[in-house]
Amino acid sequence: MEETQAVLERLETVRGGTLRRLEALTQEALDQRPAVPEGNGEEAWSPGEIFMHLAIDEVYVRELIARPLLEGVKPPDGVRFLPPPPPHGVSKDVIRYWFERARTLTRRLLEAWPEDANLTLRHEGGLREMNALEWLRGYAGHEELHQRQLDEMVSDQKHVEVRSA
């Protein structure tokens, strides 16, 4: 149980940083997509899409990878850590809702972690092989990666605003 509590505390600490970043942005800043180099052919995600990606990923990791492993069900090798692309233009209150909902369910899973939880069954999912608890712990690192991405985007947006003024 100590290990699950440590994972939950790490997830909560990282989420606090994500929510501080969310609150600092206006809806306009959430919706602004960065410029993409010519010829790339893909649109870059806006900060709002990155926030939605994080909320969607938490649900995906918990329900489609960690929970089955916990229950002793190994996902097939074709199950990867690739949830669907996030929607664009989602309002801040909707993003908050999805963060709160995803974390409430993750918290419930970790707080009710069964004593006989299967921690030997592992799944690669496009990354290294991990058990259920490792997948949830790894999610915190994934969220931190996107925090750095958001910090760079916001810094770039401020730079553009200063240059164009």
Side-chain angles (χ1 to χ4, degrees), residues 32 155-165:
Q32 185 177 350
S155 176
D156 288 348
Q157 286 178 354
K158 287 180 182 173
H159 181 70
V160 168
E161 289 170 13
V162 171
R163 282 187 10 187
S164 65

Side-chain angles (χ1 to χ4, degrees), residues 11 34 52 64 71 75 77 81 113 138 153 157:
L11 287 168
M52 282 299 297
L64 300 180
E71 295 168 352
D77 289 339
F81 186 62
W113 200 262
M153 290 175 75
Q157 286 178 354

Side-chain angles (χ1 to χ4, degrees), residues 30-33 43-49 52 85-91:
L30 285 171
D31 295 342
Q32 185 177 350
R33 286 187 166 136
E43 275 191 299
W45 285 354
S46 67
E49 287 169 297
M52 282 299 297
H88 179 260
V90 176
S91 67

Side-chain angles (χ1 to χ4, degrees), residues 63 65-74 109 114 116-118 121 132:
E63 295 303 320
I65 297 177
R67 188 181 298 273
L69 289 171
L70 169 71
E71 295 168 352
V73 176
K74 185 177 184 322
L109 176 66
D116 62 345
N118 187 323
L121 192 58

Side-chain angles (χ1 to χ4, degrees), residues 74-148:
K74 185 177 184 322
D77 289 339
V79 173
R80 298 278 186 254
F81 186 62
L82 296 171
H88 179 260
V90 176
S91 67
K92 190 185 280 193
D93 62 325
V94 170
I95 294 170
R96 265 192 233 105
Y97 167 82
W98 284 114
F99 272 134
E100 290 168 11
R101 187 68 190 145
R103 183 48 48 86
T104 295
L105 296 175
T106 300
R107 191 178 301 113
R108 284 182 191 160
L109 176 66
L110 286 166
E111 289 172 347
W113 200 262
E115 290 296 322
D116 62 345
N118 187 323
L119 293 180
T120 58
L121 192 58
R122 303 172 82 74
H123 178 64
E124 174 255 338
L127 303 171
R128 66 176 176 81
E129 282 199 344
M130 295 179 278
N131 67 32
L133 198 54
E134 290 168 331
W135 270 97
L136 293 170
R137 182 184 302 116
Y139 175 78
H142 175 76
E143 190 163 331
E144 286 177 320
L145 176 128
H146 284 297
Q147 286 177 352
R148 290 188 294 276

